[in-house]
Amino acid sequence: MSLIAPLRRQLPRVVRRAPLLTSVRPSRTLRFHYQSFSTTTANMSFSNTDTGSKTADPYVAKNLDEPSELKEKVGDLISFVDKSKYCMMTTRIASSGLLVSRCMALAAKEGNGVDLIFHANSESGKTDDLESDHDINLAFLQPSGEWASISGIASIETDREKVRKYYSSGLKAWLGDLGDGKHDGGPEDPRIILIKVKAKTAQYAITRSAAGALGNLVEFAKGVATGETAQVNKLRHLDESELQQWRSSSQ
């Protein structure tokens, strides 16, 4: 559920859902061919220099981490998401094609932990966004600099049994009781829906040092003093096939 109750737009709902003919969306082909953590100028569609045989992005090259077990790779992501709880959810505005983000609190997980569920108000702008474009991104961040970015496909769940399963009494504080005996913020309030995000790819960075932020600070200071690239994070990427393999492992 968004931490700030969204302001209702004044235009009629049917108008708000009508996409502008001038809206421009990135090609799916380009998005699907995105290469994560590129480290050489040869792999870049835009480059401002030529580093020759030297690594163009030494930070990425030095911090890339590929554990041998998928369990570790996915498990660390799930643990980080649980620890963070709050994320920025990015959707595309139906009426303009622009991107917008709002803070959301994780309500539950499915798909062996990689598909994320959020509460939402059916009358908020994000439901219009998702009806127009199901592509979504979730960005988690910690003060330490650890982060995770999950891209996926969102679906709106209105089934009351599922809503009741994940219902939280705290939702009353966000929806309020309208006093009509129906819209009371309770589990049967038709405004309460679920947004389920089926992850397609995930990228994340967690701290490498056992000493945490202090260890990273030492590594950073060493890099400033010597010019040696700091090795502070474990940078990892999960593709669609790995996430599907992980879902299937729970069956």
Side-chain angles (χ1 to χ4, degrees):
M1 194 70 190
S2 177
L3 294 184
I4 301 177
L7 296 174
R8 294 300 310 279
R9 287 170 285 178
Q10 300 303 310
L11 292 175
R13 195 174 181 87
V14 66
V15 175
R16 287 188 277 126
R17 287 179 174 174
L20 295 178
L21 293 178
T22 55
S23 296
V24 177
R25 295 180 55 195
S27 160
R28 283 184 178 272
T29 301
L30 289 177
R31 282 183 288 169
F32 289 164
H33 284 78
Y34 168 70
Q35 294 182 336
S36 302
F37 302 137
S38 178
T39 61
T40 67
T41 55
N43 292 330
M44 303 297 293
S45 58
F46 170 83
S47 178
N48 198 43
T49 188
D50 183 357
T51 58
S53 61
K54 295 184 178 179
T55 301
D57 191 343
Y59 164 76
V60 169
K62 193 166 185 177
N63 287 272
L64 278 175
D65 182 78
E66 187 67 30
S68 58
E69 296 290 334
L70 183 60
K71 181 178 181 180
E72 178 185 348
K73 198 174 180 182
V74 179
D76 284 346
L77 172 65
I78 293 173
S79 296
F80 180 73
V81 166
D82 285 340
K83 178 176 70 173
S84 301
K85 186 175 174 61
Y86 295 100
C87 70
M88 296 300 290
M89 174 184 285
T90 301
T91 59
R92 189 175 298 279
I93 301 173
S95 60
S96 67
L98 297 175
L99 298 176
V100 63
S101 300
R102 74 276 289 168
C103 188
M104 301 287 286
L106 181 66
K109 300 190 300 297
E110 291 183 345
N112 205 15
V114 296
D115 299 328
L116 309 183
I117 292 177
F118 302 85
H119 292 114
N121 185 336
S122 64
E123 309 310 299
S124 66
K126 53 187 164 288
T127 55
D128 284 350
D129 296 350
L130 293 174
E131 186 175 14
S132 173
D133 188 341
H134 298 298
D135 291 335
I136 197 168
N137 179 263
L138 307 173
F140 296 82
L141 179 66
Q142 287 285 314
S144 62
E146 295 175 298
W147 57 269
S149 174
I150 299 172
S151 296
I153 302 298
S155 58
I156 296 175
E157 306 276 354
T158 60
D159 180 75
R160 300 325 295 175
E161 183 177 348
K162 211 164 193 182
V163 170
R164 285 192 291 269
K165 178 180 179 181
Y166 296 124
Y167 176 76
S168 168
S169 59
L171 291 171
K172 291 183 177 181
W174 303 114
L175 284 92
D177 187 344
L178 303 187
D180 58 5
K182 182 179 181 180
H183 304 95
D184 58 1
E188 305 306 320
D189 188 328
R191 294 175 297 168
I192 299 176
I193 61 169
L194 302 174
I195 295 176
K196 179 178 179 179
V197 178
K198 184 175 182 180
K200 295 194 71 174
T201 64
Q203 303 176 79
Y204 69 96
I206 56 175
T207 185
R208 183 180 294 271
S209 172
L214 180 60
N216 285 350
L217 182 62
V218 172
E219 182 71 9
F220 173 78
K222 183 176 73 174
V224 171
T226 66
E228 181 181 347
T229 306
Q231 187 176 35
V232 293
N233 291 321
K234 297 178 181 179
L235 288 177
R236 294 171 177 170
H237 177 265
L238 286 156
D239 63 28
E240 190 171 2
S241 63
E242 289 175 308
L243 291 168
Q244 185 54 45
Q245 178 184 341
W246 181 255
R247 288 187 193 94
S248 301
S249 68
S250 67
Q251 299 174 3

